[in-house]
């Protein structure tokens, strides 16, 4: 339950989700008292999730907030299936890939992220996501209405819109990490990829922490 996890938990609780479970097997250290605002003074040595419970619950009494002092690696698959979404922070690559596969198989939304000073990353796997997007209608200009060579060009009518149904299929984390950057398709995307992405690929030896909500 480090600083990023506390921020995620705070935003979800204030948003009014039905319930949230904070999972962390680590104990409160000195650095946690400066970076994690849910931990009260005098909590050194306590479990981080349990130490964060009271302040987290006080943010919104309407949300059922729980603390689980066990490690994420010890949890069986059916533990994750009770949630609508799972969010991991500060986890190793192996843990993130494993939990993402469980969530993908059971149609559970999956998020993971971490921060390293001024740098950070976030990955989301929402499975198959359908949504509706409002688009401006396209109208063809009739010949003779306007003069000039552009008279027949397609124009946008900002006064009229139409709703377009779209569908997005998210890839799994394992696939995203296994991109062959020497391929022709990846080379085109390489120009739009920040160098920070490759720096963060090596930052995986961190402590475990997770936040789940439903």
């Amino acid at each position: 339950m480090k600083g990023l996890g506390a921020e995620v938990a705070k935003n979800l609780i204030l948003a009014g989700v039905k319930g949230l479970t904070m999972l962390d097997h680590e104990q409160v250290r000195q650095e946690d008292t400066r970076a994690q605002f849910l931990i009260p003074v005098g909590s050194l040595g306590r479990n981080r999730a349990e130490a964060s419970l009271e302040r987290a619950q006080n943010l919104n009494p309407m949300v059922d907030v729980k603390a689980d002092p066990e490690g994420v690696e010890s949890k069986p698959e059916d533990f994750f299936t009770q949630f609508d979404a799972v969010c991991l922070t500060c986890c190793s690559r192996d843990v993130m890939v494993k939990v993402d596969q469980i969530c993908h198989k059971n149609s559970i939304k999956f998020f993971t992220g971490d921060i390293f000073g001024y740098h950070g990353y976030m990955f989301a796997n929402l499975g198959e996501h359908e949504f509706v997007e409002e688009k401006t209608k396209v109208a063809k200009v009739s010949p003779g209405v306007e003069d000039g060579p552009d008279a027949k060009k397609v124009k946008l009518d900002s006064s009229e819109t139409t709703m377009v149904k779209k569908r997005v299929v998210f890839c799994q984390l394992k696939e995203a990490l296994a991109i062959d950057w020497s391929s022709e398709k990846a080379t085109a995307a390489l120009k739009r990829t920040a160098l920070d992405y490759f720096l963060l690929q090596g930052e995986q030896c961190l402590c475990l922490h997770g936040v789940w909500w439903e």
Side-chain angles (χ1 to χ4, degrees):
M1 218 31 211
K2 287 189 173 182
L4 177 60
E7 186 68 27
V8 172
K10 181 261 291 181
N11 291 336
L12 291 170
I13 294 170
L14 291 178
V17 295
K18 179 182 177 182
L20 181 144
T21 298
M22 301 180 293
L23 177 68
D24 192 340
H25 69 287
E26 295 281 354
Q27 294 181 335
V28 176
R29 291 173 290 188
Q30 190 64 47
E31 63 184 68
D32 296 320
T33 61
R34 296 187 293 269
Q36 217 272 48
F37 54 82
L38 293 178
I39 295 177
V41 177
S43 298
L44 288 176
R46 292 184 61 193
N47 174 267
R48 276 197 302 224
E50 294 178 337
S52 305
L53 181 59
E54 183 177 358
R55 286 186 175 179
Q57 183 64 80
N58 289 338
L59 290 171
N60 190 344
M62 301 289 289
V63 178
D64 181 19
V65 184
K66 299 178 182 177
D68 191 327
E70 296 185 1
V72 62
E73 293 180 314
S74 66
K75 293 297 186 181
E77 181 174 331
D78 59 1
F79 170 79
F80 302 98
T81 58
Q82 64 181 304
F83 303 103
D84 296 321
V86 172
C87 177
L88 299 180
T89 65
C90 305
C91 286
S92 67
R93 177 181 299 194
D94 290 341
V95 170
M96 291 188 294
V97 169
K98 175 186 174 182
V99 177
D100 176 51
Q101 290 176 331
I102 293 173
C103 292
H104 187 82
K105 183 174 68 173
N106 293 280
S107 300
I108 300 169
K109 306 294 187 293
F110 175 81
F111 302 86
T112 186
D114 206 347
I115 52 175
F116 310 96
Y118 291 108
H119 302 277
Y121 72 88
M122 192 278 288
F123 174 85
N125 179 2
L126 306 183
E128 295 186 11
H129 179 59
E130 294 185 350
F131 61 98
V132 176
E133 185 177 31
E134 186 176 13
K135 290 245 181 183
T136 303
K137 274 191 175 181
V138 177
K140 290 186 178 180
V141 178
S142 301
V145 175
E146 295 182 8
D147 296 326
D150 297 330
K152 294 183 180 180
K153 284 187 176 181
V154 174
K155 291 192 174 182
L156 297 178
D157 183 359
S158 58
S159 64
E160 292 189 46
T161 60
T162 182
M163 305 306 291
V164 180
K165 187 176 181 179
K166 292 192 173 184
R167 176 173 171 268
V168 176
V169 179
F170 287 73
C171 73
Q172 296 186 56
L173 180 59
K174 186 176 182 179
E175 298 171 5
L177 294 173
I179 295 177
D180 180 8
W181 290 101
S182 63
S183 65
E184 183 177 346
K185 184 177 180 181
T187 301
L190 189 60
K191 298 178 182 179
R192 305 189 302 271
T193 304
L195 294 177
D196 295 351
Y197 169 82
F198 301 99
L199 293 173
L200 293 171
Q201 285 275 25
E203 298 287 350
Q204 298 300 331
C205 298
L206 302 170
C207 65
L208 300 177
H209 160 247
V211 178
W212 282 261
W213 68 91
E214 62 180 71

